[in-house]
């Protein structure tokens, strides 16, 4: 309650910027926030500096950190559940062209994470399902390259969840690759239940 009241006392712009920051975890690089400012066409850094002066954020090694987990939680919960999903999806979609164009693994994984937090129900257009499924495929491959097969499986599994009905007919190659790599990761992870479910598709 104390943290919520501290945030409520801030200006609307600062509160909105804290809500954006809260969608990306407990800490975020300044350089990434500058990228977000450009993509979202929003002022963030000046507002976050105001929150910094109020003691709600800390700056360390070029990253903004929420000074307490409860502050991040309070900022995040200022948004309704539906708005949380809507914002995660819009941030992920805004990052999508950058993830595809610059070859930046961190942007790729962040975009996938945002879209996965939103979930398939946040999709607004049919074409977006394929884009998000393919992004998860690429993110899963990156995770496999880092030998993190648990993380890789989560990306492939999320990618599968974004596929629409008739995906085998309409997007056979994408579907096959997602299911095949998910099965390989499940086998590596010793996840026999998931492996069985995937093999039945």
């Amino acid at each position: 309650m104390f943290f919520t009241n501290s945030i409520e006392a801030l200006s609307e712009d600062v509160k909105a910027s804290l809500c954006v920051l809260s969608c990306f975890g407990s800490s975020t690089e300044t350089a990434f926030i500058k990228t977000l400012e450009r993509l979202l066409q929003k002022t963030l850094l000046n507002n976050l500096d105001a929150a910094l002066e109020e003691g709600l954020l800390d700056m360390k090694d070029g990253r903004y950190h929420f000074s307490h987990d409860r502050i991040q939680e309070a900022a995040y919960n200022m948004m309704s559940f539906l708005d949380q999903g809507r914002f995660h999806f819009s941030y992920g979609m805004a990052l999508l062209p950058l993830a595809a164009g610059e070859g930046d693994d961190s942007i790729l994984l962040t975009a996938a994470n945002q879209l996965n937090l939103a979930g398939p129900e946040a999709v607004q257009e049919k074409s977006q399902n394929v884009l998000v499924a393919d992004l998860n495929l690429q993110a899963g491959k990156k995770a496999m390259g880092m030998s993190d097969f648990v993380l890789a499986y989560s990306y492939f599994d999320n990618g599968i969840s974004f596929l629409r009905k008739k995906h085998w007919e309409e997007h056979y190659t994408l579907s096959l690759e997602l299911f095949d790599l998910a099965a390989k990761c499940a086998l590596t992870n010793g996840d026999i239940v998931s492996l069985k479910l995937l093999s039945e598709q």
Side-chain angles (χ1 to χ4, degrees), residues 74-194:
Y76 191 69
N77 287 333
M78 288 181 67
M79 301 175 281
S80 70
F81 179 75
L82 287 176
D83 280 343
Q84 288 168 0
R86 185 166 59 85
F87 287 134
H88 280 304
F89 192 79
S90 67
Y91 301 153
M93 291 304 293
L95 289 166
L96 193 58
L98 206 60
E102 294 193 2
D104 186 331
D105 290 355
S106 65
I107 295 288
L108 171 67
L109 298 180
T110 299
N113 291 340
Q114 288 295 305
L115 292 164
N116 293 340
L117 284 166
E121 59 275 7
V123 171
Q124 297 167 340
E125 299 173 16
K126 185 178 178 181
S127 61
Q128 292 173 333
N129 288 84
V130 179
L131 288 173
V132 180
D134 185 65
L135 182 70
N136 272 292
L137 176 63
Q138 304 311 317
K141 288 178 177 178
K142 293 291 183 186
M144 285 184 78
M146 296 183 287
S147 298
D148 191 336
F149 295 98
V150 173
L151 181 61
Y153 176 81
S154 74
Y155 285 124
F156 298 137
D157 187 49
N158 274 296
I160 290 168
S161 75
F162 277 91
L163 294 173
R164 299 173 69 92
K165 291 180 180 179
K166 296 185 178 179
H167 61 88
W168 285 112
E169 293 91 339
E170 296 176 359
H171 304 287
Y172 178 79
T173 302
L174 173 61
S175 300
L176 182 63
E177 200 165 6
L178 279 168
F179 277 89
D180 181 52
L181 291 176
K184 287 179 179 177
C185 288
L187 182 61
T188 302
N189 297 333
D191 186 352
I192 305 304
V193 174
S194 294

